[in-house]
mmCIF file of all heavy atoms in Angstrom:
data_model
loop_
_atom_site.group_PDB
_atom_site.id
_atom_site.type_symbol
_atom_site.label_atom_id
_atom_site.label_comp_id
_atom_site.label_asym_id
_atom_site.label_seq_id
_atom_site.Cartn_x
_atom_site.Cartn_y
_atom_site.Cartn_z
ATOM 1 N N ARG A 307 92.680 118.741 97.345
ATOM 2 C CA ARG A 307 92.542 117.306 97.674
ATOM 3 C C ARG A 307 91.995 117.141 99.085
ATOM 4 O O ARG A 307 91.105 116.335 99.330
ATOM 5 C CB ARG A 307 93.889 116.589 97.568
ATOM 6 C CG ARG A 307 94.349 116.296 96.177
ATOM 7 C CD ARG A 307 95.628 115.443 96.217
ATOM 8 N NE ARG A 307 96.365 115.585 94.994
ATOM 9 C CZ ARG A 307 97.481 116.313 94.847
ATOM 10 N NH1 ARG A 307 98.028 116.941 95.873
ATOM 11 N NH2 ARG A 307 98.073 116.394 93.678
ATOM 12 N N ARG A 308 92.544 117.899 100.022
ATOM 13 C CA ARG A 308 92.087 117.814 101.417
ATOM 14 C C ARG A 308 90.617 118.212 101.539
ATOM 15 O O ARG A 308 89.868 117.616 102.313
ATOM 16 C CB ARG A 308 92.944 118.675 102.330
ATOM 17 C CG ARG A 308 94.302 118.079 102.582
ATOM 18 C CD ARG A 308 94.965 118.706 103.813
ATOM 19 N NE ARG A 308 96.236 118.067 104.081
ATOM 20 C CZ ARG A 308 96.368 116.927 104.730
ATOM 21 N NH1 ARG A 308 95.309 116.297 105.173
ATOM 22 N NH2 ARG A 308 97.549 116.398 104.940
ATOM 23 N N GLN A 309 90.207 119.225 100.781
ATOM 24 C CA GLN A 309 88.804 119.639 100.822
ATOM 25 C C GLN A 309 87.888 118.534 100.278
ATOM 26 O O GLN A 309 86.793 118.343 100.785
ATOM 27 C CB GLN A 309 88.598 120.932 100.038
ATOM 28 C CG GLN A 309 89.170 122.148 100.750
ATOM 29 C CD GLN A 309 88.809 123.428 100.055
ATOM 30 O OE1 GLN A 309 88.879 123.536 98.834
ATOM 31 N NE2 GLN A 309 88.408 124.418 100.832
ATOM 32 N N VAL A 310 88.352 117.817 99.287
ATOM 33 C CA VAL A 310 87.576 116.693 98.754
ATOM 34 C C VAL A 310 87.555 115.574 99.796
ATOM 35 O O VAL A 310 86.498 114.997 100.079
ATOM 36 C CB VAL A 310 88.143 116.198 97.410
ATOM 37 C CG1 VAL A 310 87.489 114.894 96.981
ATOM 38 C CG2 VAL A 310 87.960 117.275 96.330
ATOM 39 N N LEU A 311 88.697 115.266 100.383
ATOM 40 C CA LEU A 311 88.777 114.195 101.375
ATOM 41 C C LEU A 311 87.927 114.470 102.615
ATOM 42 O O LEU A 311 87.284 113.564 103.144
ATOM 43 C CB LEU A 311 90.228 113.944 101.791
ATOM 44 C CG LEU A 311 91.060 113.123 100.825
ATOM 45 C CD1 LEU A 311 92.541 113.204 101.182
ATOM 46 C CD2 LEU A 311 90.600 111.674 100.809
ATOM 47 N N ASP A 312 87.914 115.723 103.081
ATOM 48 C CA ASP A 312 87.151 116.010 104.305
ATOM 49 C C ASP A 312 85.691 116.351 104.029
ATOM 50 O O ASP A 312 84.922 116.619 104.950
ATOM 51 C CB ASP A 312 87.833 117.088 105.155
ATOM 52 C CG ASP A 312 87.774 118.497 104.570
ATOM 53 O OD1 ASP A 312 86.965 118.775 103.657
ATOM 54 O OD2 ASP A 312 88.549 119.352 105.052
ATOM 55 N N GLY A 313 85.296 116.340 102.751
ATOM 56 C CA GLY A 313 83.890 116.555 102.412
ATOM 57 C C GLY A 313 83.492 118.002 102.205
ATOM 58 O O GLY A 313 82.333 118.290 101.900
ATOM 59 N N THR A 314 84.440 118.923 102.352
ATOM 60 C CA THR A 314 84.133 120.328 102.095
ATOM 61 C C THR A 314 83.709 120.506 100.644
ATOM 62 O O THR A 314 82.804 121.288 100.345
ATOM 63 C CB THR A 314 85.358 121.219 102.403
ATOM 64 O OG1 THR A 314 85.749 121.004 103.757
ATOM 65 C CG2 THR A 314 85.059 122.682 102.182
ATOM 66 N N LEU A 315 84.373 119.784 99.752
ATOM 67 C CA LEU A 315 83.993 119.749 98.337
ATOM 68 C C LEU A 315 83.455 118.355 98.031
ATOM 69 O O LEU A 315 84.154 117.364 98.243
ATOM 70 C CB LEU A 315 85.198 120.051 97.442
ATOM 71 C CG LEU A 315 85.705 121.478 97.437
ATOM 72 C CD1 LEU A 315 87.012 121.580 96.635
ATOM 73 C CD2 LEU A 315 84.662 122.417 96.848
ATOM 74 N N ALA A 316 82.229 118.302 97.553
ATOM 75 C CA ALA A 316 81.575 117.023 97.249
ATOM 76 C C ALA A 316 81.514 116.813 95.740
ATOM 77 O O ALA A 316 81.658 117.769 94.964
ATOM 78 C CB ALA A 316 80.166 117.023 97.830
ATOM 79 N N PRO A 317 81.291 115.570 95.315
ATOM 80 C CA PRO A 317 81.155 115.312 93.876
ATOM 81 C C PRO A 317 80.091 116.227 93.255
ATOM 82 O O PRO A 317 79.016 116.415 93.824
ATOM 83 C CB PRO A 317 80.716 113.849 93.815
ATOM 84 C CG PRO A 317 81.266 113.248 95.064
ATOM 85 C CD PRO A 317 81.169 114.334 96.101
ATOM 86 N N GLY A 318 80.455 116.815 92.128
ATOM 87 C CA GLY A 318 79.556 117.719 91.434
ATOM 88 C C GLY A 318 79.676 119.170 91.847
ATOM 89 O O GLY A 318 79.156 120.061 91.177
ATOM 90 N N ASP A 319 80.362 119.447 92.963
ATOM 91 C CA ASP A 319 80.557 120.833 93.405
ATOM 92 C C ASP A 319 81.479 121.557 92.445
ATOM 93 O O ASP A 319 82.478 121.000 91.990
ATOM 94 C CB ASP A 319 81.187 120.901 94.799
ATOM 95 C CG ASP A 319 80.209 120.619 95.918
ATOM 96 O OD1 ASP A 319 79.004 120.449 95.641
ATOM 97 O OD2 ASP A 319 80.662 120.554 97.086
ATOM 98 N N GLN A 320 81.135 122.791 92.171
ATOM 99 C CA GLN A 320 82.000 123.624 91.337
ATOM 100 C C GLN A 320 83.077 124.226 92.220
ATOM 101 O O GLN A 320 82.812 124.655 93.344
ATOM 102 C CB GLN A 320 81.201 124.731 90.662
ATOM 103 C CG GLN A 320 82.019 125.548 89.691
ATOM 104 C CD GLN A 320 81.170 126.530 88.891
ATOM 105 O OE1 GLN A 320 80.044 126.812 89.236
ATOM 106 N NE2 GLN A 320 81.741 127.040 87.817
ATOM 107 N N VAL A 321 84.300 124.246 91.711
ATOM 108 C CA VAL A 321 85.387 124.911 92.421
ATOM 109 C C VAL A 321 85.552 126.309 91.824
ATOM 110 O O VAL A 321 85.086 126.588 90.723
ATOM 111 C CB VAL A 321 86.716 124.116 92.344
ATOM 112 C CG1 VAL A 321 86.573 122.769 93.035
ATOM 113 C CG2 VAL A 321 87.182 123.936 90.937
ATOM 114 N N MET A 322 86.208 127.168 92.579
ATOM 115 C CA MET A 322 86.466 128.522 92.072
ATOM 116 C C MET A 322 87.165 128.446 90.728
ATOM 117 O O MET A 322 87.962 127.535 90.498
ATOM 118 C CB MET A 322 87.401 129.270 93.027
ATOM 119 C CG MET A 322 86.777 129.881 94.212
ATOM 120 S SD MET A 322 88.019 130.957 95.012
ATOM 121 C CE MET A 322 88.085 130.195 96.612
ATOM 122 N N SER A 323 86.925 129.420 89.907
ATOM 123 C CA SER A 323 87.666 129.494 88.645
ATOM 124 C C SER A 323 89.129 129.793 88.965
ATOM 125 O O SER A 323 89.455 130.251 90.060
ATOM 126 C CB SER A 323 87.095 130.596 87.754
ATOM 127 O OG SER A 323 87.418 131.871 88.287
ATOM 128 N N THR A 324 89.988 129.543 87.988
ATOM 129 C CA THR A 324 91.408 129.821 88.217
ATOM 130 C C THR A 324 91.616 131.306 88.515
ATOM 131 O O THR A 324 92.433 131.663 89.375
ATOM 132 C CB THR A 324 92.271 129.398 87.014
ATOM 133 O OG1 THR A 324 91.772 130.017 85.839
ATOM 134 C CG2 THR A 324 92.282 127.901 86.853
ATOM 135 N N THR A 325 90.856 132.155 87.845
ATOM 136 C CA THR A 325 90.982 133.600 88.076
ATOM 137 C C THR A 325 90.518 133.962 89.481
ATOM 138 O O THR A 325 91.194 134.721 90.191
ATOM 139 C CB THR A 325 90.165 134.388 87.033
ATOM 140 O OG1 THR A 325 90.613 134.014 85.729
ATOM 141 C CG2 THR A 325 90.315 135.889 87.214
ATOM 142 N N GLN A 326 89.367 133.417 89.901
ATOM 143 C CA GLN A 326 88.869 133.690 91.254
ATOM 144 C C GLN A 326 89.865 133.201 92.304
ATOM 145 O O GLN A 326 90.148 133.904 93.279
ATOM 146 C CB GLN A 326 87.534 132.990 91.496
ATOM 147 C CG GLN A 326 86.364 133.580 90.770
ATOM 148 C CD GLN A 326 85.128 132.692 90.923
ATOM 149 O OE1 GLN A 326 85.212 131.473 90.822
ATOM 150 N NE2 GLN A 326 83.996 133.316 91.162
ATOM 151 N N PHE A 327 90.363 131.985 92.106
ATOM 152 C CA PHE A 327 91.312 131.405 93.051
ATOM 153 C C PHE A 327 92.570 132.265 93.132
ATOM 154 O O PHE A 327 93.057 132.576 94.222
ATOM 155 C CB PHE A 327 91.649 129.971 92.633
ATOM 156 C CG PHE A 327 92.165 129.117 93.745
ATOM 157 C CD1 PHE A 327 91.306 128.317 94.485
ATOM 158 C CD2 PHE A 327 93.511 129.106 94.062
ATOM 159 C CE1 PHE A 327 91.772 127.526 95.521
ATOM 160 C CE2 PHE A 327 93.999 128.317 95.099
ATOM 161 C CZ PHE A 327 93.126 127.527 95.826
ATOM 162 N N ALA A 328 93.089 132.640 91.969
ATOM 163 C CA ALA A 328 94.306 133.452 91.923
ATOM 164 C C ALA A 328 94.096 134.811 92.583
ATOM 165 O O ALA A 328 94.963 135.293 93.322
ATOM 166 C CB ALA A 328 94.761 133.626 90.483
ATOM 167 N N THR A 329 92.950 135.413 92.351
ATOM 168 C CA THR A 329 92.646 136.709 92.949
ATOM 169 C C THR A 329 92.477 136.586 94.458
ATOM 170 O O THR A 329 93.018 137.387 95.217
ATOM 171 C CB THR A 329 91.368 137.303 92.317
ATOM 172 O OG1 THR A 329 91.566 137.425 90.912
ATOM 173 C CG2 THR A 329 91.041 138.660 92.904
ATOM 174 N N THR A 330 91.746 135.568 94.894
ATOM 175 C CA THR A 330 91.492 135.371 96.317
ATOM 176 C C THR A 330 92.783 135.166 97.093
ATOM 177 O O THR A 330 92.981 135.744 98.168
ATOM 178 C CB THR A 330 90.560 134.161 96.540
ATOM 179 O OG1 THR A 330 89.318 134.406 95.880
ATOM 180 C CG2 THR A 330 90.313 133.902 98.017
ATOM 181 N N TYR A 331 93.680 134.342 96.539
ATOM 182 C CA TYR A 331 94.907 134.006 97.259
ATOM 183 C C TYR A 331 96.123 134.792 96.784
ATOM 184 O O TYR A 331 97.242 134.533 97.220
ATOM 185 C CB TYR A 331 95.173 132.500 97.168
ATOM 186 C CG TYR A 331 94.109 131.711 97.891
ATOM 187 C CD1 TYR A 331 93.122 131.024 97.194
ATOM 188 C CD2 TYR A 331 94.072 131.684 99.276
ATOM 189 C CE1 TYR A 331 92.130 130.315 97.867
ATOM 190 C CE2 TYR A 331 93.096 130.985 99.956
ATOM 191 C CZ TYR A 331 92.122 130.304 99.242
ATOM 192 O OH TYR A 331 91.146 129.608 99.911
ATOM 193 N N ARG A 332 95.895 135.721 95.863
ATOM 194 C CA ARG A 332 96.957 136.595 95.352
ATOM 195 C C ARG A 332 98.143 135.819 94.801
ATOM 196 O O ARG A 332 99.284 135.976 95.254
ATOM 197 C CB ARG A 332 97.401 137.586 96.411
ATOM 198 C CG ARG A 332 96.287 138.510 96.795
ATOM 199 C CD ARG A 332 96.700 139.494 97.816
ATOM 200 N NE ARG A 332 95.533 140.335 98.110
ATOM 201 C CZ ARG A 332 95.542 141.339 98.913
ATOM 202 N NH1 ARG A 332 96.649 141.663 99.542
ATOM 203 N NH2 ARG A 332 94.471 142.030 99.124
ATOM 204 N N ILE A 333 97.829 134.937 93.867
ATOM 205 C CA ILE A 333 98.861 134.151 93.197
ATOM 206 C C ILE A 333 98.647 134.240 91.694
ATOM 207 O O ILE A 333 97.600 134.700 91.224
ATOM 208 C CB ILE A 333 98.843 132.672 93.660
ATOM 209 C CG1 ILE A 333 97.451 132.086 93.499
ATOM 210 C CG2 ILE A 333 99.316 132.534 95.082
ATOM 211 C CD1 ILE A 333 97.354 130.634 93.874
ATOM 212 N N ASN A 334 99.616 133.804 90.950
ATOM 213 C CA ASN A 334 99.564 133.852 89.497
ATOM 214 C C ASN A 334 98.494 132.887 88.973
ATOM 215 O O ASN A 334 98.465 131.729 89.367
ATOM 216 C CB ASN A 334 100.946 133.462 88.961
ATOM 217 C CG ASN A 334 101.075 133.665 87.479
ATOM 218 O OD1 ASN A 334 100.186 133.314 86.714
ATOM 219 N ND2 ASN A 334 102.203 134.212 87.077
ATOM 220 N N PRO A 335 97.616 133.339 88.070
ATOM 221 C CA PRO A 335 96.589 132.453 87.496
ATOM 222 C C PRO A 335 97.182 131.224 86.805
ATOM 223 O O PRO A 335 96.575 130.154 86.817
ATOM 224 C CB PRO A 335 95.851 133.341 86.495
ATOM 225 C CG PRO A 335 96.092 134.729 86.956
ATOM 226 C CD PRO A 335 97.460 134.720 87.598
ATOM 227 N N ALA A 336 98.371 131.351 86.220
ATOM 228 C CA ALA A 336 99.002 130.206 85.558
ATOM 229 C C ALA A 336 99.375 129.131 86.594
ATOM 230 O O ALA A 336 99.288 127.930 86.309
ATOM 231 C CB ALA A 336 100.237 130.644 84.783
ATOM 232 N N THR A 337 99.755 129.557 87.786
ATOM 233 C CA THR A 337 100.079 128.621 88.863
ATOM 234 C C THR A 337 98.826 127.865 89.286
ATOM 235 O O THR A 337 98.846 126.645 89.466
ATOM 236 C CB THR A 337 100.686 129.375 90.068
ATOM 237 O OG1 THR A 337 101.851 130.076 89.631
ATOM 238 C CG2 THR A 337 101.040 128.435 91.198
ATOM 239 N N THR A 338 97.729 128.603 89.415
ATOM 240 C CA THR A 338 96.455 127.980 89.766
ATOM 241 C C THR A 338 96.027 127.004 88.677
ATOM 242 O O THR A 338 95.598 125.883 88.969
ATOM 243 C CB THR A 338 95.373 129.059 89.970
ATOM 244 O OG1 THR A 338 95.814 129.971 90.979
ATOM 245 C CG2 THR A 338 94.060 128.443 90.390
ATOM 246 N N ALA A 339 96.146 127.411 87.432
ATOM 247 C CA ALA A 339 95.763 126.541 86.313
ATOM 248 C C ALA A 339 96.589 125.257 86.316
ATOM 249 O O ALA A 339 96.055 124.171 86.048
ATOM 250 C CB ALA A 339 95.927 127.283 84.990
ATOM 251 N N LYS A 340 97.855 125.366 86.636
ATOM 252 C CA LYS A 340 98.721 124.184 86.687
ATOM 253 C C LYS A 340 98.221 123.208 87.758
ATOM 254 O O LYS A 340 98.176 121.995 87.539
ATOM 255 C CB LYS A 340 100.168 124.603 86.958
ATOM 256 C CG LYS A 340 101.167 123.485 86.834
ATOM 257 C CD LYS A 340 102.594 124.017 86.904
ATOM 258 C CE LYS A 340 103.611 122.900 86.740
ATOM 259 N NZ LYS A 340 104.977 123.413 86.750
ATOM 260 N N ALA A 341 97.835 123.730 88.915
ATOM 261 C CA ALA A 341 97.305 122.887 89.991
ATOM 262 C C ALA A 341 95.993 122.228 89.575
ATOM 263 O O ALA A 341 95.790 121.028 89.771
ATOM 264 C CB ALA A 341 97.095 123.720 91.255
ATOM 265 N N PHE A 342 95.106 122.999 88.980
ATOM 266 C CA PHE A 342 93.812 122.464 88.556
ATOM 267 C C PHE A 342 93.997 121.389 87.484
ATOM 268 O O PHE A 342 93.339 120.353 87.523
ATOM 269 C CB PHE A 342 92.918 123.580 88.031
ATOM 270 C CG PHE A 342 92.285 124.439 89.105
ATOM 271 C CD1 PHE A 342 92.848 124.566 90.369
ATOM 272 C CD2 PHE A 342 91.132 125.137 88.853
ATOM 273 C CE1 PHE A 342 92.261 125.352 91.351
ATOM 274 C CE2 PHE A 342 90.535 125.925 89.821
ATOM 275 C CZ PHE A 342 91.099 126.043 91.072
ATOM 276 N N ASN A 343 94.904 121.623 86.555
ATOM 277 C CA ASN A 343 95.156 120.630 85.500
ATOM 278 C C ASN A 343 95.737 119.344 86.074
ATOM 279 O O ASN A 343 95.424 118.249 85.595
ATOM 280 C CB ASN A 343 96.053 121.206 84.409
ATOM 281 C CG ASN A 343 95.326 122.212 83.554
ATOM 282 O OD1 ASN A 343 94.123 122.113 83.341
ATOM 283 N ND2 ASN A 343 96.047 123.206 83.063
ATOM 284 N N LEU A 344 96.567 119.472 87.093
ATOM 285 C CA LEU A 344 97.100 118.292 87.773
ATOM 286 C C LEU A 344 95.955 117.468 88.361
ATOM 287 O O LEU A 344 95.910 116.246 88.225
ATOM 288 C CB LEU A 344 98.075 118.723 88.873
ATOM 289 C CG LEU A 344 98.676 117.630 89.742
ATOM 290 C CD1 LEU A 344 99.557 116.694 88.922
ATOM 291 C CD2 LEU A 344 99.489 118.251 90.872
ATOM 292 N N LEU A 345 94.987 118.145 88.980
ATOM 293 C CA LEU A 345 93.845 117.460 89.576
ATOM 294 C C LEU A 345 92.917 116.865 88.516
ATOM 295 O O LEU A 345 92.306 115.821 88.744
ATOM 296 C CB LEU A 345 93.086 118.409 90.509
ATOM 297 C CG LEU A 345 93.878 118.847 91.739
ATOM 298 C CD1 LEU A 345 93.143 119.925 92.506
ATOM 299 C CD2 LEU A 345 94.195 117.670 92.638
ATOM 300 N N VAL A 346 92.839 117.496 87.366
ATOM 301 C CA VAL A 346 92.075 116.912 86.250
ATOM 302 C C VAL A 346 92.758 115.626 85.801
ATOM 303 O O VAL A 346 92.103 114.587 85.614
ATOM 304 C CB VAL A 346 91.939 117.916 85.076
ATOM 305 C CG1 VAL A 346 91.413 117.226 83.830
ATOM 306 C CG2 VAL A 346 91.030 119.078 85.477
ATOM 307 N N ASP A 347 94.080 115.672 85.663
ATOM 308 C CA ASP A 347 94.840 114.479 85.260
ATOM 309 C C ASP A 347 94.674 113.337 86.264
ATOM 310 O O ASP A 347 94.679 112.173 85.885
ATOM 311 C CB ASP A 347 96.323 114.809 85.097
ATOM 312 C CG ASP A 347 96.611 115.721 83.914
ATOM 313 O OD1 ASP A 347 95.728 115.873 83.041
ATOM 314 O OD2 ASP A 347 97.720 116.290 83.878
ATOM 315 N N GLU A 348 94.511 113.673 87.538
ATOM 316 C CA GLU A 348 94.340 112.669 88.590
ATOM 317 C C GLU A 348 92.902 112.153 88.692
ATOM 318 O O GLU A 348 92.626 111.233 89.452
ATOM 319 C CB GLU A 348 94.739 113.251 89.953
ATOM 320 C CG GLU A 348 96.202 113.538 90.099
ATOM 321 C CD GLU A 348 96.541 114.199 91.434
ATOM 322 O OE1 GLU A 348 95.640 114.385 92.296
ATOM 323 O OE2 GLU A 348 97.726 114.535 91.625
ATOM 324 N N GLY A 349 91.989 112.811 87.977
ATOM 325 C CA GLY A 349 90.588 112.406 88.049
ATOM 326 C C GLY A 349 89.852 112.969 89.248
ATOM 327 O O GLY A 349 88.771 112.500 89.597
ATOM 328 N N VAL A 350 90.406 113.992 89.884
ATOM 329 C CA VAL A 350 89.766 114.624 91.030
ATOM 330 C C VAL A 350 88.783 115.697 90.562
ATOM 331 O O VAL A 350 87.693 115.837 91.108
ATOM 332 C CB VAL A 350 90.821 115.229 91.986
ATOM 333 C CG1 VAL A 350 90.167 116.003 93.123
ATOM 334 C CG2 VAL A 350 91.731 114.135 92.528
ATOM 335 N N LEU A 351 89.178 116.439 89.546
ATOM 336 C CA LEU A 351 88.324 117.469 88.960
ATOM 337 C C LEU A 351 88.053 117.135 87.502
ATOM 338 O O LEU A 351 88.797 116.374 86.887
ATOM 339 C CB LEU A 351 89.007 118.842 89.017
ATOM 340 C CG LEU A 351 89.391 119.412 90.378
ATOM 341 C CD1 LEU A 351 90.072 120.771 90.197
ATOM 342 C CD2 LEU A 351 88.187 119.530 91.293
ATOM 343 N N TYR A 352 86.994 117.721 86.974
ATOM 344 C CA TYR A 352 86.753 117.640 85.535
ATOM 345 C C TYR A 352 86.308 119.004 85.047
ATOM 346 O O TYR A 352 85.761 119.807 85.805
ATOM 347 C CB TYR A 352 85.735 116.546 85.180
ATOM 348 C CG TYR A 352 84.320 116.813 85.647
ATOM 349 C CD1 TYR A 352 83.394 117.453 84.816
ATOM 350 C CD2 TYR A 352 83.901 116.423 86.910
ATOM 351 C CE1 TYR A 352 82.099 117.693 85.245
ATOM 352 C CE2 TYR A 352 82.612 116.642 87.338
ATOM 353 C CZ TYR A 352 81.718 117.288 86.500
ATOM 354 O OH TYR A 352 80.436 117.521 86.918
ATOM 355 N N LYS A 353 86.605 119.270 83.780
ATOM 356 C CA LYS A 353 86.263 120.544 83.157
ATOM 357 C C LYS A 353 84.948 120.409 82.424
ATOM 358 O O LYS A 353 84.710 119.415 81.740
ATOM 359 C CB LYS A 353 87.323 120.951 82.130
ATOM 360 C CG LYS A 353 88.688 121.201 82.677
ATOM 361 C CD LYS A 353 89.667 121.523 81.558
ATOM 362 C CE LYS A 353 91.091 121.572 82.083
ATOM 363 N NZ LYS A 353 92.067 121.868 81.041
ATOM 364 N N GLN A 354 84.119 121.426 82.568
ATOM 365 C CA GLN A 354 82.914 121.506 81.767
ATOM 366 C C GLN A 354 83.058 122.787 80.956
ATOM 367 O O GLN A 354 82.984 123.888 81.498
ATOM 368 C CB GLN A 354 81.668 121.527 82.648
ATOM 369 C CG GLN A 354 80.474 121.000 81.946
ATOM 370 C CD GLN A 354 79.379 120.609 82.918
ATOM 371 O OE1 GLN A 354 79.442 120.884 84.112
ATOM 372 N NE2 GLN A 354 78.357 119.980 82.397
ATOM 373 N N ARG A 355 83.328 122.600 79.684
ATOM 374 C CA ARG A 355 83.658 123.716 78.814
ATOM 375 C C ARG A 355 82.665 124.867 78.956
ATOM 376 O O ARG A 355 81.467 124.691 78.866
ATOM 377 C CB ARG A 355 83.700 123.232 77.365
ATOM 378 C CG ARG A 355 84.297 124.246 76.435
ATOM 379 C CD ARG A 355 84.374 123.694 75.011
ATOM 380 N NE ARG A 355 85.146 124.578 74.193
ATOM 381 C CZ ARG A 355 86.368 124.326 73.780
ATOM 382 N NH1 ARG A 355 86.931 123.185 74.094
ATOM 383 N NH2 ARG A 355 87.026 125.188 73.062
ATOM 384 N N GLY A 356 83.229 126.046 79.215
ATOM 385 C CA GLY A 356 82.437 127.253 79.335
ATOM 386 C C GLY A 356 81.762 127.428 80.690
ATOM 387 O O GLY A 356 81.192 128.477 80.956
#
Side-chain angles (χ1 to χ4, degrees):
R307 284 186 203 104
R308 286 198 177 278
Q309 287 187 316
V310 170
L311 281 167
D312 71 16
T314 303
L315 289 173
D319 283 356
Q320 185 173 16
V321 297
M322 278 190 239
S323 71
T324 55
T325 303
Q326 288 172 317
F327 202 94
T329 302
T330 300
Y331 294 105
R332 297 181 180 183
I333 53 178
N334 188 316
T337 302
T338 303
K340 188 171 182 178
F342 283 24
N343 288 329
L344 177 64
L345 294 172
V346 168
D347 292 345
E348 292 176 3
V350 175
L351 300 179
Y352 68 92
K353 297 177 188 180
Q354 206 162 9
R355 191 178 190 106

